[in-house]
Amino acid sequence: MGVTRVCRFPVLAAALVAVLALAGCGAPAEPDGGPAPGAEGDGRFPVTVPHAFGETTVPAEPQRVVALGLNDLAVAQTVGAPIVGAMQNMTATGPVLPYLEPLPPEVLALDPNAELSVEQVAAFEPDLILGVSAYQVVDRATYDRLSAVAPTVVFAESLYGASMQEDARQVGRALGAEEQVEELIAAADARVAAVREELPGLAGRTYLFGQARGEILPMVVGEQNQSTAFMRALGLTVPPSFADAPASDDLAPGTVGLSYEEVGRLSEADLLLMTFAGDGDRSAFESNELVQRVRAVQEGTYVPLTLDQAVALQAPNVVSAGWLVDQLRPSLEKVAAGGT
């Protein structure tokens, strides 16, 4: 399948800016606490997983897994993988993803604000390193250093360049948990489809997802960005004038930047989802006279996202999708009904 590199721009909070920097399903399954998927002798191992830097062979059932990406953690934890090390979720809600059961502090020991320490990863003594959604492993040199520690599996072609379903499958292949991951995918797809069926008024409606960052308003509009694909599955599309817009010179592909003088263009969207780069950006945005005239603001379909919501929408996964649609449900219902 064709893929486009997801746009990334510094957005959310210092820790996750580099990962998700706001560019561009089913309810989470409860971890069962059971053994790692792929019991010994069941023929699932060894398994070889192709990826952007070649291929990795996982020789046996993983017993000590390190998850470098938040989506790696979500999928691996939900299928019961034995996680010994993982990246913290540095948001207002603390180190734990809001849709997962808490892990011990000694497991959530990797700081997304700090440069990735291969030595710290090695201290977990992993036999598998997952980096499918890891923004720290986008170059061959880092991958090679990690591979010297343990078999390392990354994204198939580019970071966030595949659908959330395909990223989940990549994790499932490495864990020998392909059947379990397919169940997660089916549940996630069913959950999104149910919302679309329950809210038929979403069909044909438009949305914009962006950020207030100083004097610029980057908007995520690329057709194959994971957030765009997620919203499209609900029946929503970006406004036509944004759909084919070229990227701004200083932004990543799939992202266009508006100035405050152009903020009237936001009225083309039935639903406006915004996040904010730093202190003062939200108040500057919401107090702007032109913003106050935007249709979604006046109709009650403007949503200032929390950091957790923005991260989940920026790069949804098959575990977070159910939580995310629940978070967005009130605004989706308003849009489906035609506003306030």
Side-chain angles (χ1 to χ4, degrees):
M1 60 181 291
V3 295
T4 298
R5 181 166 61 92
V6 73
C7 334
R8 294 177 294 152
F9 51 84
V11 185
L12 302 176
L16 294 176
V17 171
V19 197
L20 305 176
L22 201 82
C25 318
E30 294 293 331
D32 59 16
E40 290 184 19
D42 66 0
R44 298 189 187 184
F45 294 93
V47 62
T48 298
V49 183
H51 52 71
F53 302 129
E55 60 182 32
T56 294
T57 297
V58 183
E61 173 190 4
Q63 300 295 321
R64 299 182 62 82
V65 178
V66 169
L68 296 180
L70 295 180
N71 290 355
D72 298 302
L73 172 61
V75 175
Q77 182 178 341
T78 303
V79 300
I83 299 168
V84 295
M87 192 67 64
Q88 298 178 40
N89 172 43
M90 299 296 289
T91 71
T93 59
V96 181
L97 289 166
Y99 47 86
L100 292 180
E101 291 295 317
L103 287 170
E106 61 270 19
V107 171
L108 295 172
L110 299 174
D111 183 356
N113 285 313
E115 182 178 352
L116 179 66
S117 168
V118 176
E119 292 74 19
Q120 186 180 12
V121 173
F124 289 114
E125 299 182 348
D127 54 15
L128 176 64
I129 300 170
L130 295 172
V132 176
S133 64
Y135 65 94
Q136 310 95 328
V137 196
V138 294
D139 61 88
R140 181 62 188 249
T142 304
Y143 165 77
D144 286 343
R145 292 176 65 206
L146 289 168
S147 293
V149 173
T152 301
V153 173
V154 298
F155 36 80
E157 295 188 35
S158 61
L159 181 65
Y160 305 131
S163 67
M164 68 176 183
Q165 292 89 344
E166 286 304 315
D167 276 354
R169 289 185 176 106
Q170 189 78 339
V171 173
R173 293 180 191 109
L175 293 171
E178 293 179 273
E179 291 183 5
Q180 290 167 275
V181 166
E182 288 300 328
E183 292 175 359
L184 293 180
I185 291 170
D189 289 346
R191 184 67 179 279
V192 171
V195 172
R196 186 168 181 165
E197 182 177 352
E198 292 161 7
L199 301 176
L202 291 177
R205 297 289 185 174
T206 58
Y207 84 98
L208 283 169
F209 171 38
Q211 178 191 55
R213 189 180 77 198
E215 295 302 313
I216 189 170
L217 305 173
M219 311 305 294
V220 184
V221 298
E223 180 181 0
Q224 293 187 17
N225 284 1
Q226 289 185 337
S227 62
T228 313
F230 181 83
M231 296 300 286
R232 188 166 57 244
L234 290 169
L236 295 151
T237 59
V238 299
S241 73
F242 285 88
D244 298 319
S248 303
D249 291 341
D250 57 344
L251 299 175
T255 305
V256 298
L258 301 181
S259 66
Y260 271 95
E261 288 73 20
E262 301 172 291
V263 81
R265 292 188 62 194
L266 299 180
S267 287
E268 297 175 33
D270 298 305
L271 172 65
L272 178 60
L273 306 167
M274 293 293 295
T275 189
F276 309 95
D279 295 339
D281 281 316
R282 177 173 176 176
S283 61
F285 179 78
E286 293 181 345
S287 65
N288 184 279
E289 183 179 353
L290 295 177
V291 171
Q292 292 172 1
R293 299 177 190 172
V294 168
R295 180 164 61 92
V297 174
Q298 296 192 341
E299 293 181 355
T301 55
Y302 153 64
V303 183
L305 297 172
T306 68
L307 184 55
D308 279 320
Q309 291 169 343
V311 169
L313 181 55
Q314 150 69 32
N317 64 63
V318 297
V319 183
S320 69
W323 176 86
L324 181 57
V325 294
D326 286 344
Q327 295 289 301
L328 297 178
R329 181 77 186 228
S331 57
L332 293 174
E333 289 176 349
K334 285 185 179 181
V335 170
T340 53

